[in-house]
Each structure stands twice: as structure tokens, then as C-alpha cells.
Amino acid sequence: MSHTQLRAHPLGDTAVTITFGAVRSAELLFRVHSAARALKAANIPHVEDIVPAYLALTVFYDPLGTSYEEVSRKLLDACDRVAHSTPKPAPSREHRIPVKYDGIDLEAVAASAGLSVEDVVASHSSRIYTVDLLGFVPGFAYLSELDAALQLPRRAQPRPRIAAGSVGIAAAQTAVYPLDTPGGWHIIGRTQTVMFDPTRDAPALLAPGDTVRFERIP
Amino acid sequence: MITITRAPPYITVQNGGRQHSRSLGVPRGGAMDLFALRAVNAVVGNSLDAAALEWALGGGAVRFDRDCFFAVGGATARATVSGKDVAPCTTTFARAGDELLVEQIISGRFLYLACDGGIDVPALLGSRSTYLPGHFGGYEGRMLRSGDSVQLGARPSTHPAEGFHAAADLMPRYDSGIVHVTPGTQDDLFDESAMRSLTESEYRISAASDRTGYKLDGPVLANSLGTLASEAGCPGAIQVPGDGLPIALMADAPTIGGYPKIAVVSEADLPILAQRRPGESIRFQLITIDQSHRALKRRLADVHAISRHASRS
């Protein structure tokens, strides 16, 4: 079977990263998530975990049960079959997350963008965002896509501690910090919504493909 | 049950870690030195990945509230029960009421205490490990404090004879400071000189090192790309941020990240890296994935051998 565009590379001796392309796009991300779902459903022996990302997915396997060659060939074949099918989107949910827009960087963001604070808040809270993927820390969801006027590079110096519930922006994305963590995003607001609770049936509030609206609260 | 009678500065419940929740952003976590965790579990007759206590600096005291076969291992620290020294990785018996005193760790970094039956805290996302940044897992998601008591599981039906100890030749060569690596997912973004620098120089563990990652001091590794689209990393992945100084990701590292990865530490040698202290040096040696798998199988065979010898003792 030909694996056009797909490329497998070992990530150490317990994982394989399969790269789907070199340029980020919604279409490529959809292919990655479709393949991740198909691999999960295929229940390939010795596969322990599947981690989708923007250009690639990574599969963790048990090296006592299989070799890198064997597992990567099976994974490439399975991903290739998905590439030649027309996968359906996963069922998605709509979320509304109330936000108090009083973040420490709100004024600086407005100044950098040449907008008023009011404009920044109106822009951020008027769009519908899609969950690209989860990662970094538990329940951290990368949401796209921020209005072009608000897109700024991350802060040069990350802060040692961003409080849980902080709503940040960086480049084309926005996110809610699910827990206290160091972070380099510009903080524009905060929410009381619990993004991650390991005791819930679905610990992460958001899943890839879900949509999110931020609702301004006083 | 065991009770922390005098809390050390850093002690958590850890086991084999979480293997199935990375897509939610949950890191593997678990013991920093999986070999030591498994060795102390083997020596008391537990399943190898049972939950144990992990010290980072040593110190403190623990009271056994029931008769208990226990073992300490990993980093080296003087430990005593009723004034008698406790030998490392050795099946030791304590009566209900006995207290284990642990002094400062003098070599290595992470010390483990396994008790027969294992630490019985609720499993979350398939593991009893503490994930401190998320305030979950282990004992109420936090370090243990003076006065905390943790339950032990049911004792195994058989246990190794008192005084059984793991043979030294079955332990990793912690002192060698040699850590094997395989090429990383973006090794092609680094020129040959970068890989040569990584594998032919000494790197020192910097003070900026914890359960999330070890920043390494040594020759700067030039790379052309800066930040990439985020993708999965793993414990042992050696990522290179813009300043060119590598960071080895450890147990609690973020599940995905955007820095290029030049190499990944062999799972078999991750314990050797984990036990290096700030200021100590390591050397990386490049091997193939097949060699790395063979090394891991040997390492696991060694721990199973300890388990087998223990059960016949």
C-alpha cells in the first residue's frame, strides 16, 4: 500500500509519530482526528494511547509486544485507509463559557492591536471557536480562530504562574487555562467554568471538534 | 495504614503512571525512576507497578500502623527502624508502631518506599499517581503532610523472606552517567554538528530541573526552526528551545509541545537520568530503536528476575 504524504518516525522506543503534512490547515487537522478515531476503533494490538496534534498523531505502544517496524506499518496502513475514505465528522457539542473580561494583559493587547478594550472584548466574545485539540496540561483546549486583529505572538517571557480559569490568546488561538501553570499567552479574562475534573465521566469539558462561545459577564 | 509522623519537604504517592489519557492532556506521570519503583515492589512481593511513596530530597519519618514488610530503594539515604539501619532494596520487617526515619538523600534523587500490599489511594484515570500541577491523584492530589495516614492494600498471600535483597548486578548502572538515546522526531532539523555536540559532550543537570523536565547545561545545539506546530512529546524527549540548551522532558511534562526534539532517552535509561542531581553530568550515546528495545527488555527481565528470586527466598 502506498503511504502518500504519510511519514512515520519513532518518538523514542515507546511511540510512533505519523506526520500527515507540513502546513497547518483545518482540513489536515480533520484528517489527523479522523485517523486517530479510526485507529482507536481498530483496536490495534499493543497500542496504548493516541495523541492527535496539528500535523501529526502519535501512537504510544508496548515495545514488549511489538516492534517499531510492525506497529508503524500497521498504523500507516490504517491511516492510509482513512485517507482514501470520506470520514464523517465526530459528533460535536456547543459550549458557552462565561468570561469576566478583566485580564492583566487586556489593555496591552488592545494597545498592540490598535483597538479599544471594548473592541477587543467585542471581538473575542462574538466569534464561534472550534476546539482544535487538547494538550499541554489536562483539559487545555486550543481554540481557533481568533480575529486577525487580535493575533499577537506569545509573550517573550512566559509568566511562572497563570491562575486556573484564565482566558488567554496567542497567535490565532484562544484558550482557558484549566489549572495553575506557567504560561506565555496574553491573559484577557477569567471564567469559573471547570475545564477539567478527573472524577467526571468525561474529565475534559471540551473535545476536538466542539464549538465554544465566550459570553461576557460583568 | 502508614502515617507520616514527620513530613519531608517533598513526598508523593506514585506508581507506574497513566498510560491512556494523553489525548486529554494528561501526562504519563508516575515514578521518576520506574526501575527503582519496580525493584522495591518486587522485593516486598507486590505487583511491580503498585503505588509507593516517592521522596525527592529525603528526610522525614513514617510510622507503620500494622505489621509490614517494606523496602526502600532508588536514591541513597540512611534509613533506620528502631535505630537499626535499613539496607537498600532489601525485604525488611516492621512491627505495628515502628517508625522509619529517613535522612537526607546523599546520592541519587528519588527514593521509594514500598509496603506489602501497596499504597491504597483511589485510582484516577487509571493510576494512583499524584499529579501535583493538576492537584489530583495520589493522596488528595498533594504532597503528604505530617499527620496524614494512607491505607495499604491487602497483603500478598506470600512474601519474600526477611533480608532478601536485589542482586547488585540486576540494577541499572546509575553511577555510569551514560544515557542512551535514539534520534528524535525532528533530528533532521539539526545539522550533524548538533548531534555530535549532544553525543560527544558532557551535559550538566541544571538547577532548573524537576518532575516536569531537566534543563541541561553544555554546548549550545543550533537549530534552524525555532518553534514548530505542537506535537506529542514523552518523558525522555530532548527538546531544544531557541536558546539551544536542551531540556529533557520528564514524567510530568506537557503532552504536546512545539520545540524540535533532537533525541529521545531510552526508556531503559530514563531512571539513570532521573537520578542525576543538579550539577552532576551525563553523557548521551546514540543507539537504534532496536537496540533500545533490547535494552528495555533486558531491564525488565532484570526486574522480573528480582521478583522471581524474591518469591523463592
Side-chain angles (χ1 to χ4, degrees):
Chain A
M1 205 177 280
S2 73
H3 303 121
T4 45
Q5 295 175 308
L6 298 179
R7 200 174 66 94
H9 197 297
L11 172 67
D13 53 16
T14 60
V16 186
T17 294
I18 296 175
T19 306
F20 284 64
V23 182
R24 244 165 89 160
S25 69
E27 187 265 334
L28 188 68
L29 185 63
F30 176 68
R31 284 174 51 209
V32 171
H33 281 305
S34 301
R37 276 196 304 280
L39 291 179
K40 201 167 180 191
N43 261 324
I44 297 171
H46 313 298
V47 163
E48 294 187 329
D49 217 353
I50 301 166
V51 188
Y54 281 106
L55 305 177
L57 64 81
T58 297
V59 175
F60 289 81
Y61 63 93
D62 176 8
L64 299 186
T66 184
S67 67
Y68 171 73
E69 283 71 26
E70 183 186 36
V71 74
S72 59
R73 182 169 36 78
K74 281 185 183 167
L75 294 169
L76 283 172
D77 285 348
C79 290
D80 211 46
R81 279 196 293 279
V82 177
H84 289 99
S85 66
T86 24
K88 287 194 215 51
S92 73
R93 297 192 303 154
E94 296 173 10
H95 305 266
R96 286 171 179 271
I97 296 179
V99 175
K100 188 170 173 70
Y101 284 95
D102 61 356
I104 187 170
D105 298 320
L106 185 58
E107 287 184 19
V109 166
S112 301
L115 299 170
S116 68
V117 163
E118 182 54 37
D119 291 339
V120 172
V121 173
S123 167
H124 188 262
S125 58
S126 66
R127 288 174 86 92
I128 297 172
Y129 302 97
T130 305
V131 179
D132 288 344
L133 48 95
L134 267 64
F136 175 49
V137 292
F140 189 98
Y142 293 81
L143 305 174
S144 284
E145 176 170 297
L146 210 57
D147 186 281
L150 299 188
Q151 297 187 12
L152 301 169
R154 337 178 142 205
R155 290 164 47 80
Q157 283 298 325
R159 290 196 175 93
R161 183 179 172 277
I162 305 277
S166 296
V167 178
I169 61 171
Q173 286 153 325
T174 182
V176 180
Y177 281 81
L179 44 97
D180 297 350
T181 164
W185 292 31
H186 307 270
I187 304 306
I188 59 171
R190 62 192 147 111
T191 180
Q192 303 287 330
T193 304
V194 175
M195 306 303 291
F196 188 85
D197 176 352
T199 63
R200 291 194 296 226
D201 281 343
L205 178 68
L206 306 178
D210 286 359
T211 58
V212 174
R213 274 189 89 139
F214 293 106
E215 286 182 335
R216 175 186 205 166
I217 56 167
Chain B
M1 191 168 83
I2 57 175
T3 300
I4 308 296
T5 45
R6 183 159 46 82
Y10 197 106
I11 185 169
T12 58
V13 177
Q14 298 294 343
N15 74 349
R18 299 189 166 79
Q19 301 296 349
H20 311 291
S21 303
R22 293 176 183 89
S23 63
L24 302 177
V26 179
R28 179 172 87 181
M32 285 287 278
D33 179 347
L34 277 175
F35 187 95
L37 172 81
R38 289 167 176 161
V40 290
N41 275 323
V43 162
V44 300
N46 285 346
S47 65
L48 296 178
D49 284 347
L53 297 184
E54 181 184 271
W55 273 252
L57 301 161
V62 178
R63 187 182 66 226
F64 301 97
D65 296 309
R66 68 148 157 84
D67 289 0
C68 187
F69 284 93
F70 73 94
V72 293
T76 308
R78 182 162 187 245
T80 54
V81 171
S82 315
K84 276 173 39 185
D85 279 330
V86 174
C89 260
T90 300
T91 313
T92 310
F93 180 72
R95 293 220 166 275
D98 281 353
E99 204 173 27
L100 171 73
L101 305 180
V102 177
E103 296 185 5
Q104 288 302 97
I105 288 174
I106 50 171
S107 85
R109 201 159 174 183
F110 292 96
L111 175 90
Y112 296 88
L113 166 66
C115 298
D116 58 353
I119 304 287
D120 187 17
V121 291
L124 271 181
L125 301 170
S127 166
R128 294 182 162 83
S129 287
T130 313
Y131 176 60
L132 287 179
H135 312 294
F136 69 79
Y139 185 83
E140 297 179 358
R142 61 168 172 81
M143 286 195 266
L144 293 162
R145 301 180 194 135
S146 297
D148 287 341
S149 293
V150 286
Q151 295 297 324
L152 299 179
R155 305 180 71 175
S157 51
T158 60
H159 59 78
E162 201 178 346
F164 170 81
H165 62 92
D169 62 353
L170 295 175
M171 307 299 276
R173 294 282 314 279
Y174 287 108
D175 293 344
S176 71
I178 292 172
V179 173
H180 292 94
V181 296
T182 55
T185 29
Q186 286 91 23
D187 61 318
D188 54 335
L189 301 184
F190 296 87
D191 62 18
E192 272 176 43
S193 71
M195 190 56 100
R196 258 203 323 274
S197 291
L198 184 74
T199 54
E200 291 177 5
S201 321
E202 279 199 350
Y203 280 88
R204 236 184 21 257
I205 313 295
S206 87
S209 58
D210 57 22
R211 281 184 51 92
T212 306
Y214 287 7
K215 183 125 182 144
L216 303 174
D217 282 330
V220 165
L221 305 175
N223 74 80
S224 45
L225 272 158
T227 311
L228 313 166
S230 290
E231 65 170 38
C234 63
I238 300 175
Q239 61 176 27
V240 184
D243 67 5
L245 285 174
I247 298 169
L249 302 181
M250 300 305 276
D252 285 344
T255 54
I256 64 174
Y259 293 124
K261 297 179 274 294
I262 187 169
V264 183
V265 174
S266 291
E267 189 68 22
D269 286 354
L270 208 46
I272 296 175
L273 176 62
Q275 292 289 8
R276 300 308 265 184
R277 296 149 74 98
E280 292 181 342
S281 296
I282 43 165
R283 279 183 175 277
F284 293 112
Q285 280 180 7
L286 196 61
I287 56 171
T288 66
I289 295 291
D290 281 345
Q291 289 170 321
S292 196
H293 280 166
R294 283 200 291 278
L296 180 59
K297 284 172 187 171
R298 274 199 305 275
R299 196 75 92 208
L300 290 168
D302 288 348
V303 88
H304 282 290
I306 296 172
S307 197
R308 218 168 39 243
H309 299 163
S311 68
R312 287 185 196 143
S313 66

